[in-house]
Amino acid sequence: MHTWYDNELVPKGMVYFLPFSNTEGHLVLVYPKYKENLAIDKNKLWKVIHGKAEQTLKQKLSVNQQFDLDNYVIGKSKYPRIGNTFFVGNCLGAINPFLGFGQFTSILTGIYAAHDLCGLSNYEEDVQVLYQNYHDSLTLRRKLEALSNDQLDLITKYLHYKPVRKLLAGSNINLLKVLSTLTHPSHR
Ligand SMILES: Cc1cc2nc3c(=O)[nH]c(=O)nc-3n(C[C@H](O)[C@H](O)[C@H](O)COP(=O)(O)OP(=O)(O)OC[C@H]3O[C@@H](n4cnc5c(N)ncnc54)[C@H](O)[C@@H]3O)c2cc1C
């Protein structure tokens, strides 16, 4: 997997290349539709990104299939359940604002809802941890969006140091959670 963060190229967004196999992958460009981003010409930007990905990955990337999504709203539901209606997956707010992933959380909400229906636990209580994750993720997103390219370069440099990598990936400490709690302790 390769990700690009460049606030001059993709303001407050990112690009990632996710390989599926030795010959296929997914090149994704994501950016928020803030007022200052409305002037972006998506097709022009895509061409630049495609070229940049080919340059960085040192290979020709031919596009077999292409699609785009507009106005993809993300957020969280105020209530996890109203009467007999359980809000699960994206309907609860499964998408994490930091990186846009939501499959794992969606599966968890399905499991939690099933547990409640079987009388094993309480859905509204179980999802509190997901609300907390959403809050932490949004905090990180806002911090990330505020970084300049120089600051992004500095962070990337530190991520290459073995002790930092170990702390992030190989320990039981959730460094991103710690960072987000320190920078935004109160609940939204
Ligand atoms: C472009 C993009 C890239 C993403 N990349 C990632 C990623 O890399 N990793 C990750 O973890 N998450 C990713 N996500 C987020 C993730 O896909 C979602 O959070 C997750 O799929 C939500 O699961 P869900 O079951 O709530 O909804 P969905 O996966 O959207 O499933 C809802 C289903 O219900 C069907 N449906 C809707 N209305 C009706 C109806 N009236 N009757 C019958 N069926 C209906 C829909 O067709 C759909 O199949 C991405 C999202 C997008 C848009």
Side-chain angles (χ1 to χ4, degrees), residues 129-161:
V129 65
L130 304 179
Y131 277 132
Q132 183 60 44
N133 286 348
Y134 184 95
H135 166 91
D136 292 340
S137 169
L138 186 58
T139 304
L140 289 174
R141 168 98 217 169
R142 293 196 172 145
K143 296 286 158 212
L144 186 72
E145 287 181 352
L147 295 176
S148 68
N149 275 2
D150 287 343
Q151 289 167 322
L152 285 168
D153 286 345
L154 196 67
I155 292 175
T156 315
K157 200 171 125 192
Y158 281 121
L159 288 178
H160 284 106
Y161 291 139

Side-chain angles (χ1 to χ4, degrees), residues 28 108 110 120 161 163:
V28 183
L108 278 181
L120 297 175
Y161 291 139

Side-chain angles (χ1 to χ4, degrees), residues 42-60:
K42 204 158 53 176
N43 295 327
K44 250 193 205 165
L45 182 58
W46 173 251
K47 275 190 192 139
V48 177
I49 295 299
H50 187 199
K52 198 168 175 79
E54 289 189 323
Q55 190 192 0
T56 318
L57 300 173
K58 297 187 181 68
Q59 56 188 292
K60 186 121 194 65

Side-chain angles (χ1 to χ4, degrees), residues 16 67 69 72 88-91 94-95 100-104 106:
Y16 60 86
F67 71 92
L69 286 172
Y72 193 84
V88 296
N90 280 346
C91 296
I95 295 199
F101 297 160
Q103 288 176 3
F104 187 69
S106 296

Side-chain angles (χ1 to χ4, degrees), residues 75-94 105-114 116-117 123-124 126-128 130-131:
K76 64 181 164 73
S77 148
K78 192 168 176 187
Y79 305 103
R81 172 184 182 176
I82 297 176
N84 282 338
T85 305
F86 290 72
F87 295 103
V88 296
N90 280 346
C91 296
L92 179 78
T105 307
S106 296
I107 293 166
L108 278 181
T109 57
I111 294 170
Y112 293 162
D116 190 316
L117 291 172
Y123 185 64
E124 282 145 312
D126 286 349
V127 295
Q128 290 312 314
L130 304 179
Y131 277 132

